[in-house]
C-alpha cells in the first residue's frame, strides 16, 4: 500500500476509548503467541467497525499484519478504504484515519475503488502481494469479496511472470539487511530468512507453483512471530532489529532461560535465542531458494534433447547438471558410494555456482558413507577446491549444512553453528564468519606458497571460540586434530596450529607496538619463524578482518600491518633489524614552535619541556581528531611530537584553527589549556573496568605500560597528563580501538620500575581514566 505523510491531528480529542484500545492490544494475553496476536486483531476489528458508518458501496479492508490476524504488540495498521464511487468518500476516510492517528498508531492507508486497487497491483508486485492478505473489517462484504477474489485470481494467473521482478526487489532488500541466520543483530522482518520472506513464500504457495509453506516453514514462522512479539514487549516500542542489549530479555519472555553462574536464579539465555532465530531463518531461506528455483523452471521450461528428455550435462566426476541443478550421475547412484562423494558434489556446486538438487542432498545425507581417518587424497582435494571456489563457497556450504553433510566432514561444526560472537566489531555468527574468512582468503591464494593451508587455516582460525580460555590457544589442538584427520602430514599439521595460535599477532603488534623498535621486529620474527608462515599470516589477517566487518580494518591498520610484515621479512631474510627513524628535518629548522599538518599527520616542535605530548594530544581531542600513534623525542634542545591522526566523526577539522590552537597551546596559553580540560572532562564516560598491564622486555630503551579501558574523547590527553604529572616520560604511544574499548600502549623511558613506582604510575593512569 502507498504511504501518506501523517497529518497533525492534535485537534481531534476525546479518544479515551482509543487509548484503552492501545493498552488492550499491547498487553493482551502477555502480548506473545498466536492467541495474543489473534486477540489483538479482534480488538482492532471491534474498534475500527465503530469508526466506519454503515453505507453501501464502502468497505474497510485490512492488509498486512491485521489482514493476516498476526498483529504485533506495537505493530502498525495497513488499511484500505474500498468504495464503489460513492460521494463524500474523502470525508468518510478522514473519519477513520484521524481517530487512528489520535490513538498514536502508525497507519499506512489508501482510498481506492476495486479497479484502482487492481491497477496498482498490476504495476507494483509488492501491492499485489499485499492484496493477498486483504480481509474485510467493516462495510460492504460483497464489494470486499470482489477485490479479494479478483486479486487472488489475478495473482495466480500472473505470478510466474511477476516473480522475476519480485526476486529483484527481494535481492536488493537482502543486500541492504543481510542474512538473519548469520547476523548478530538481524532484522526479524527485512533480513533474508525473516518475516518478509515468509510472505513471499505464502504468495508462491497461493499461486500453486510449489508447496512453499511446508510444516517446518510454518513452525519457523510462528517462532519468528513470537520473537518479534517478545521484542516489542521487551523494548516497549515498534522495533524489528534484535539488538544485543534486548536479547536476554527477549529470551526470558520466550522461556529460554539459563541459571546464573554459581546460583540457582534463571535468566534469559540470549545465545539460545540467537541460535533458534538462526535455525528458523535458515529454514525460511532454504524454502524460498527452492521456491524461486521451482518458479524459474516453470517459467523457462525444461531444455530437452532430441529424444525429448531433459538435457543432462556432466560437470564433474559423478556429478551432472540437470534442469539447472546438480544431481548425481546414474552410475554414482547405482554403485557403492564413495566416502568423498558429498565433498565432490559440494565442490562442483561451488565452482559452477549451481544449486544442488534437494533430492541429491537428501540421498547424500542418507547413503554417503562416513569418511575414514585420515581422509583419502580425493576428499582432501575436494575440500580445498570447495574452500577456494570464491563466491560459490558460501551458498554451497550452507546447502550442505542444511542437510547435515558438514557434520560428516567436521564433527566440530555442531558446536560452532550459529554461535554468537560477543564483540561489537563482528557482524556474523561464528560459523558464517569462518566460511566467510575462507572465501576472503581465496582472494589471496596467489600471494602465498601454500594456498591450501591458507584456506584450511582460514576455516579453522577461530575454532577455539566458545570454549574457556584464549581461543587462539584453545583452538590449536582442535585445529591440529582436524588437520590430522584430513590427512595432512605432521609438519603441515603443526603449521595449521601455528596459524591458529598466531592469527592475531600481526594486527596486535602493528597497532600496539613501536614498529621502529628492533625488539618489536625481533620478537615477531622469532615467533613466526620463516617467510612462508609470515606470508600465510599476512593473508589470513586480511581475510579475517574482511570477514569480521568494516570496523575491524582500515587503511591505516593495513599500512601498519604491511610495514610490520616488510620489516619482519627483512629480519628473517637478512637478520637486519630496523634502525631508529630519523626525525623530520623540517622540525629541526626555523623558529619555534614549528607546526606541520597533513590529512593524517600532525608534527610539532617546541622548546624542550615536559608535557608536550599531553598538550598536543589534548589539542587534537579538542578538534575531534583521534590519535592513532604518537612519538615524542628531544633533539638538540627541541621537543618533537609526531602523531598519526584521523577525524573522529569523518570530518576533518579546520587546519588554520587547529594550527593556531597548537601554537598557542605549546607556548603555554592558559586559555587553550582550560578549554582542553573542560572539553575532555565533559566527554568522559564511565569506565568499563579499566586495567593496566606492564611489559618488561617489549622495547629497546623503554618499559611498556598497556591500558585497556573504555574509549572516550580526550582519553589520551588525560592519561599522558597523568603520566607526566607522575614523573614518567612517554616517548611513544600506540592507540588501538576495538569497538567501544581501547588498548593503548605507552612507552615509558627508563628501566623496569620498582613495585612502588609501578603502583604509583598505575594508580595515576586509572584515576585519569
Amino acid at each position: 500500500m502507498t504511504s501518506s505523510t501523517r497529518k497533525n491531528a492534535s485537534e481531534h480529542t476525546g479518544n479515551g476509548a482509543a487509548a484503552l484500545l492501545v493498552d488492550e492490544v499491547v498487553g493482551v494475553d502477555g502480548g506473545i503467541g498466536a492467541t495474543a496476536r489473534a486477540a489483538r486483531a479482534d480488538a482492532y476489528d471491534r474498534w475500527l467497525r465503530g469508526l466506519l458508518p454503515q453505507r453501501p458501496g464502502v468497505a474497510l479492508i485490512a492488509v498486512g499484519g491485521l489482514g493476516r490476524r498476526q498483529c504485533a504488540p506495537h505493530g502498525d495498521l495497513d488499511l484500505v478504504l474500498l468504495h464503489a464511487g460513492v460521494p463524500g468518500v474523502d470525508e468518510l476516510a478522514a473519519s477513520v484515519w484521524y481517530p487512528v492517528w489520535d490513538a498514536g498508531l502508525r497507519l499506512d492507508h489508501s482510498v481506492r475503488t476495486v479497479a484502482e486497487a487492481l491497477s496498482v497491483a498490476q504495476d507494483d508486485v509488492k501491492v499485489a502481494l499485499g492484496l493477498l492478505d486483504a480481509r474485510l473489517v467493516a462495510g460492504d462484504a460483497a464489494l470486499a469479496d470482489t477485490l479479494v477474489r479478483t486479486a487472488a485470481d489475478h495473482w495466480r494467473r500472473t505470478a510466474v511472470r511477476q516473480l522475476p521482478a519480485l526476486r529483484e526487489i527481494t535481492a536488493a532488500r537482502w543486500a541492504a539487511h543481510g542474512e538473519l541466520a548469520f547476523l548478530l543483530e538481524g532484522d526479524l522482518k527485512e533480513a533474508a530468512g525473516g518475516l518478509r520472506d515468509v510472505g513471499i513464500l505464502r504468495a508462491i504457495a497461493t499461486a500453486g507453483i510449489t508447496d512453499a509453506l511446508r510444516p517446518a516453514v510454518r513452525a519457523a514462522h510462528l517462532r519468528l512471530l513470537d520473537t518479534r512479539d517478545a521484542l516489542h514487549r521487551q523494548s516497549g516500542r515498534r522495533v524489528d532489529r534484535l539488538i544485543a542489549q534486548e536479547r536476554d530479555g527477549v529470551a526470558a519472555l520466550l522461556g529460554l532461560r539459563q541459571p546464573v553462574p554459581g546460583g540457582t536464579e534463571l535468566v534469559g539465555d540470549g545465545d539460545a535465542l540467537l541460535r533458534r532465530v538462526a535455525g528458523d531463518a535458515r529454514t525460511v531461506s532454504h524454502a524460498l531458494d527452492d521456491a524461486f528455483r521451482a518458479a524459474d523452471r516453470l517459467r523457462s521450461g525444461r531444455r530437452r534433447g532430441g529424444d525429448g528428455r531433459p538435457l543432462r550435462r556432466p560437470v564433474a566426476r559423478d556429478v551432472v547438471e540437470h534442469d539447472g541443478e546438480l544431481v548425481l550421475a546414474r552410475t554414482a547412484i547405482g554403485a557403492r558410494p564413495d566416502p568423498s562423494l558429498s565433498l565432490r558434489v559440494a565442490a562442483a556446486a561451488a565452482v559452477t555456482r549451481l544449486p544442488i538438487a534437494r533430492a541429491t542432498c537428501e540421498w547424500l545425507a542418507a547413503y554417503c558413507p562416513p569418511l575414514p581417518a585420515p581422509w583419502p587424497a580425493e576428499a582432501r582435494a575436494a575440500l580445498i577446491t570447495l574452500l577456494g571456489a570464491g563466491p560459490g563457497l558460501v551458498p554451497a556450504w550452507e546447502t550442505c549444512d542444511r542437510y547435515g553433510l558438514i557434520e560428516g566432514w567436521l564433527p566440530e561444526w555442531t558446536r560452532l553453528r550459529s554461535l554468537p560472537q560477543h564483540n561489537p566489531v563482528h557482524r556474523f555468527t561464528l560459523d558464517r564468519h569462518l566460511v566467510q574468512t575462507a572465501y576472503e582468503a581465496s582472494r589471496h591464494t596467489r600471494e602465498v606458497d601454500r594456498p591450501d593451508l591458507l584456506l584450511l587455516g582460514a576455516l579453522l582460525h577461530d575454532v577455539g571460540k566458545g570454549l574457556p580460555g584464549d581461543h587462539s590457544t584453545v583452538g590449536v589442538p582442535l585445529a591440529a586434530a582436524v588437520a590430522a584427520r584430513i590427512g595432512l602430514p605432521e609438519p603441515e599439521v603443526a603449521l595449521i596450529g601455528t596459524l591458529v595460535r598466531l592469527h592475531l599477532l600481526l594486527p596486535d603488534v602493528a597497532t600496539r607496538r613501536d614498529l621502529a623498535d628492533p625488539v618489536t621486529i625481533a620478537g615477531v620474527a622469532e615467533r613466526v619463524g620463516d617467510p612462508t608462515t609470515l606470508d600465510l599470516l599476512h593473508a589470513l589477517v586480511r581475510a579475517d578482518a574482511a570477514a569480521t566487518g568494516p570496523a575491524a580494518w582500515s587503511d591505516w591498520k593495513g599500512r601498519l600491518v604491511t610495514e610490520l610484515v616488510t620489516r619482519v621479512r627483512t629480519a628473517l631474510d637478512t637478520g637486519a633489524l630496523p634502525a631508529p627513524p630519523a626525525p623530520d628535518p623540517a622540525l629541526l629548522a626555523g623558529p619555534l614552535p614549528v607546526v606541520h599538518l597533513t590529512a593524517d599527520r600532525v608534527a610539532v616542535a617546541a622548546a624542550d619541556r615536559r608535557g608536550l605530548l599531553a598538550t598536543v594530544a589534548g589539542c587534537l581531542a579538542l578538534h575531534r581528531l583521534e590519535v592513532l600513534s604518537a612519538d615524542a623525542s628531544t633533539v638538540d634542545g627541541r621537543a618533537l611530537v609526531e602523531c598519526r591522526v584521523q577525524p573522529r566523526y569523518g570530518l576533518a577539522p579546520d587546519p588554520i584553527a587547529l594550527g593556531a590552537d597548537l601554537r598557542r597551546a605549546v607556548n603555554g596559553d592558559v586559555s587553550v589549556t582550560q578549554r582542553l580540560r573542560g572539553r575532555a572532562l565533559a566527554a568522559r564516560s564511565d569506565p568499563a573496568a579499566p586495567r593496566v598491564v606492564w611489559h618488561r622486555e617489549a622495547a629497546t630503551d623503554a618499559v611498556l605500560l598497556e591500558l585497556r579501558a573504555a574509549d572516550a574523547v580526550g582519553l589520551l590527553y588525560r592519561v599522558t597528563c597523568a603520566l607526566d604529572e607522575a614523573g614518567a616520560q612517554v616517548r611513544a604511544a600506540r592507540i588501538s580501538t576495538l569497538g567501544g574499548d581501547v588498548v593503548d600502549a605507552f612507552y615509558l623511558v627508563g628501566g623496569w620500575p620498582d613495585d612502588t613506582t609501578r603502583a604509583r604510575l598505575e594508580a595515576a593512569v586509572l584515576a585519569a581514566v
Side-chain angles (χ1 to χ4, degrees), residues 349-512:
V351 170
T352 62
R353 303 189 196 180
L354 291 173
I356 309 172
R358 184 171 72 179
T360 298
C361 292
E362 292 171 344
W363 189 94
L364 290 170
Y367 299 110
C368 191
L371 286 158
W375 287 11
E378 191 173 28
R380 192 163 54 253
L383 176 63
I384 299 304
T385 300
L386 171 62
L387 295 178
L393 165 62
V394 174
W397 189 277
E398 176 62 14
T399 296
C400 293
D401 197 18
R402 169 187 180 184
Y403 290 96
L405 300 180
I406 303 296
E407 283 121 324
W409 314 334
L410 304 170
E412 299 84 357
W413 201 252
T414 302
R415 180 180 63 81
L416 304 175
R417 183 184 293 111
S418 302
L419 187 67
Q421 302 196 78
H422 299 291
N423 189 308
V425 301
H426 276 280
R427 58 178 171 170
F428 291 135
T429 53
L430 179 58
D431 54 339
R432 175 57 186 275
H433 172 70
L434 295 176
V435 178
Q436 189 71 24
T437 305
Y439 160 66
E440 300 291 349
S442 69
R443 303 173 185 268
H444 304 290
T445 52
R446 297 182 182 181
E447 305 171 14
V448 298
D449 293 336
R450 292 299 304 270
D452 55 336
L453 299 185
L454 170 62
L455 294 169
L456 188 58
L459 181 68
L460 300 175
H461 73 283
D462 278 345
V463 72
K465 283 188 174 178
L467 298 174
D470 180 354
H471 76 278
S472 298
T473 302
V474 173
V476 172
L478 301 176
V482 173
R485 189 168 67 245
I486 286 173
L488 296 183
E490 287 188 11
E492 295 176 8
V493 170
L495 182 50
I496 290 295
T498 299
L499 295 181
V500 172
R501 184 173 61 255
L502 302 182
H503 74 274
L504 296 177
L505 174 67
L506 297 182
D508 284 353
V509 171
T511 56
R512 303 179 188 177

Side-chain angles (χ1 to χ4, degrees), residues 443-616:
R443 303 173 185 268
H444 304 290
T445 52
R446 297 182 182 181
E447 305 171 14
V448 298
D449 293 336
R450 292 299 304 270
D452 55 336
L453 299 185
L454 170 62
L455 294 169
L456 188 58
L459 181 68
L460 300 175
H461 73 283
D462 278 345
V463 72
K465 283 188 174 178
L467 298 174
D470 180 354
H471 76 278
S472 298
T473 302
V474 173
V476 172
L478 301 176
V482 173
R485 189 168 67 245
I486 286 173
L488 296 183
E490 287 188 11
E492 295 176 8
V493 170
L495 182 50
I496 290 295
T498 299
L499 295 181
V500 172
R501 184 173 61 255
L502 302 182
H503 74 274
L504 296 177
L505 174 67
L506 297 182
D508 284 353
V509 171
T511 56
R512 303 179 188 177
R513 298 293 182 265
D514 182 2
L515 302 188
D517 194 318
V519 171
T520 299
I521 305 305
V524 174
E526 181 180 3
R527 296 185 68 183
V528 171
D530 59 79
T532 295
T533 304
L534 178 65
D535 289 339
L536 287 170
L537 286 171
H538 190 201
L540 178 56
V541 69
R542 286 175 285 166
D544 187 15
T548 297
W553 198 249
S554 65
D555 291 342
W556 169 247
K557 181 179 286 189
R559 290 196 297 270
L560 286 177
V561 170
T562 299
E563 179 183 349
L564 173 61
V565 169
T566 300
R567 296 187 177 198
V568 172
R569 181 179 288 106
T570 300
L572 291 171
D573 290 342
T574 67
L577 295 172
D584 184 351
L587 298 179
L588 302 179
L592 297 176
V594 178
V595 176
H596 284 180
L597 305 177
T598 64
D600 63 352
R601 178 177 175 269
V602 174
V604 175
D608 188 14
R609 65 178 179 83
R610 298 184 65 90
L612 180 61
L613 175 58
T615 299
V616 172

Side-chain angles (χ1 to χ4, degrees), residues 312 316-320 327-338 341 344-345 360 363-364 367-369:
R312 295 169 65 90
R317 185 166 72 86
D318 297 328
V319 186
V320 299
V327 300
L328 294 174
R330 297 184 181 93
T331 53
I333 296 176
R336 177 170 179 161
D338 175 2
L341 182 57
R344 290 192 285 109
V345 172
T360 298
W363 189 94
L364 290 170
Y367 299 110
C368 191

Side-chain angles (χ1 to χ4, degrees), residues 43 54 74 141 154 158 244 258-259 290 292 334 344 380 409 440 492 525 529 582 593 599 636 674 684 752 754:
Q54 292 296 321
H74 293 281
H154 180 266
T158 63
Q258 61 178 346
D290 288 345
F292 274 141
R344 290 192 285 109
R380 192 163 54 253
W409 314 334
E440 300 291 349
E492 295 176 8
D636 297 333
Q674 290 174 340
R684 290 184 64 172
W752 183 253
D754 56 47

Side-chain angles (χ1 to χ4, degrees), residues 174-188:
W174 292 345
H177 294 278
E179 299 172 83
L180 181 57
F182 307 115
L183 293 171
L184 296 171
E185 293 188 337
D187 190 304
L188 296 171

